[in-house]
Amino acid sequence: MAHVQDEETDWQTQPLLGQTPEEKPTLLELFIGCTATSPRTVRVFAHVRVALLLATLALPFIVYRNDIGAIEEAWYTSLLGIIAASIPAAGAPIAGGVVFIPALQLAGLGVEAAAAFSTATQMLGVGLFAPLSWLIRDRSVFIPSVLVSGTMIGAATAAGMHFIADPGPAIVEIIFACFLLVLIVTTLWGLLRGTLVSQNREFQWRPRQTATFVVLAVAGGAMTAYIAVGIDKLLFLQLTAMEHVNPTRAAVTCITVVGLVSAVNAGFNFASDKVPINYWICAIPGLLFGSMAGPVINRVCGSRAVLYAFVLLLVVDLGREIELIIEAYN
């Protein structure tokens, strides 16, 4: 399989739509998502998004105007939402579950409620807001065939898992911890070798690659049904460690897949009343703000720093998972 390009694609300095290749958007233009020369539809969308941010900030106070206690209980989820949405919008392969689940468990929520909340937030954060930030900027960052195939397989599997008995939180925690360990090692290995940020091959749908993709998408869809994350990390692992796809393209595509698969899970979780609604409503403005801040973080920090931040979050999450497993068996 030949290399298409052996140099890092400089996504963080790419011009916005309407700019010439020589122009470089300012940080404010990156945050808003448009410039004075952007196409009219892009400018309209960008300004609507700013207005939506202001509206979502007011939403919790409108919904819970007679129950301020609901806001006091869940206000911090907006801050978590900023972190959860800004990192994937910056190009790291991390969905909200890696941030939300351990934080909400520390706050006293059970793993099922935390996972249900994560699917509902990921539906917006990485299924809608973060991808739109990249669409405004450079739609070529997506891998369409992976996006469509991964979403279809993962969503079908996740839906099926809701009709199968839950294996129990302890087993799920062990699976998740093992998975996090593998992902930490492989991502660090790529960063230390310097290949993860420089590789830029195209994904080829050959028999071996296709079979591996289907197996990982099914396994990831099942994991996502139980713990809100999984399919994004498994597909990212194949695309980067095995197929040497550009990590930013792989990350943006995979987090969009988990966001769309989460929409299916969220539907089941809302229907069964598993989602803590006040937590979800308070998180929405943070998700939107984070998705707008992501490209700015990518520009300021660079893809290597974003990936190291991703690994740090995984290490913290792994430590929490090990603690929970020890508690469960004591």
Side-chain angles (χ1 to χ4, degrees):
M1 189 184 299
H3 280 275
V4 175
Q5 179 183 344
D6 285 323
E7 299 176 354
E8 181 180 359
T9 301
D10 197 7
W11 300 105
Q12 59 263 32
T13 58
Q14 289 279 326
L16 294 169
L17 293 179
Q19 291 187 304
T20 65
E22 294 76 22
E23 292 181 287
K24 183 178 179 180
T26 66
L27 294 181
L28 180 60
E29 288 171 340
L30 276 179
F31 180 78
I32 295 175
C34 73
T35 69
T37 59
S38 295
R40 185 174 182 274
T41 53
V42 173
R43 284 186 281 116
V44 169
F45 171 78
H47 288 91
V48 167
R49 190 170 60 166
V50 172
L52 185 60
L53 175 61
L54 298 176
T56 57
L57 283 169
L59 182 63
F61 299 96
I62 295 172
V63 175
Y64 296 107
R65 59 187 180 276
N66 297 322
D67 186 12
I68 298 300
I71 299 176
E72 293 176 346
E73 179 186 28
W75 66 269
Y76 64 90
T77 59
S78 190
L79 300 180
L80 293 175
I82 293 175
I83 300 172
S86 63
I87 295 180
I94 176 173
V98 175
V99 175
F100 287 125
I101 291 177
L104 292 176
Q105 286 180 298
L106 283 172
L109 265 70
V111 65
E112 284 192 356
F117 169 84
S118 295
T119 59
T121 54
Q122 286 172 183
M123 172 181 66
L124 298 177
V126 295
L128 181 62
F129 296 153
L132 286 176
S133 295
W134 282 100
L135 278 172
I136 287 176
R137 188 170 176 202
D138 186 354
R139 64 193 63 182
S140 68
V141 74
F142 293 94
I143 308 172
S145 60
V146 172
L147 178 61
V148 174
S149 302
T151 299
M152 291 177 64
I153 297 171
T157 305
M161 290 298 105
H162 286 275
F163 299 98
I164 298 176
D166 192 324
I171 299 300
V172 171
E173 299 283 5
I174 292 172
I175 295 172
F176 190 40
C178 292
F179 168 71
L180 288 174
L181 180 60
V182 172
L183 190 60
I184 289 168
V185 171
T186 54
T187 305
L188 274 178
W189 177 252
L191 282 168
L192 294 175
R193 290 181 61 204
T195 57
L196 191 56
V197 296
S198 61
Q199 62 194 34
N200 200 27
R201 292 182 182 176
E202 291 292 332
F203 181 70
Q204 302 291 325
W205 289 96
R206 296 175 179 173
R208 179 182 63 81
Q209 285 85 348
T210 302
T212 303
F213 182 90
V214 171
V215 170
L216 293 179
V218 170
M223 289 181 65
T224 303
Y226 291 132
I227 56 175
V229 292
I231 191 169
D232 49 332
K233 310 298 187 301
L234 290 180
L235 295 185
F236 179 79
L237 188 63
Q238 181 190 11
L239 292 175
T240 55
M242 300 171 64
E243 306 303 332
H244 306 292
V245 173
N246 178 277
T248 300
R249 296 192 73 200
V252 173
T253 301
C254 292
I255 61 171
T256 305
V257 169
V258 77
L260 296 175
V261 172
S262 292
V264 174
N265 286 325
F268 282 97
N269 290 329
F270 276 118
S272 57
D273 201 27
K274 291 181 179 179
V275 180
I277 301 297
N278 61 320
Y279 284 74
W280 182 64
I281 290 177
C282 287
I284 293 175
L287 295 170
L288 184 52
F289 182 89
S291 69
M292 297 169 71
V296 177
I297 294 173
N298 194 299
R299 159 80 74 78
V300 173
C301 300
S303 58
R304 181 180 292 273
V306 171
L307 285 169
Y308 273 120
F310 165 60
V311 172
L312 178 61
L313 280 171
L314 290 179
V315 170
V316 173
D317 202 3
L318 177 60
R320 178 58 181 164
E321 293 301 325
I322 292 173
E323 181 182 353
L324 290 172
I325 292 168
I326 293 173
E327 290 176 357
Y329 285 94
N330 282 340

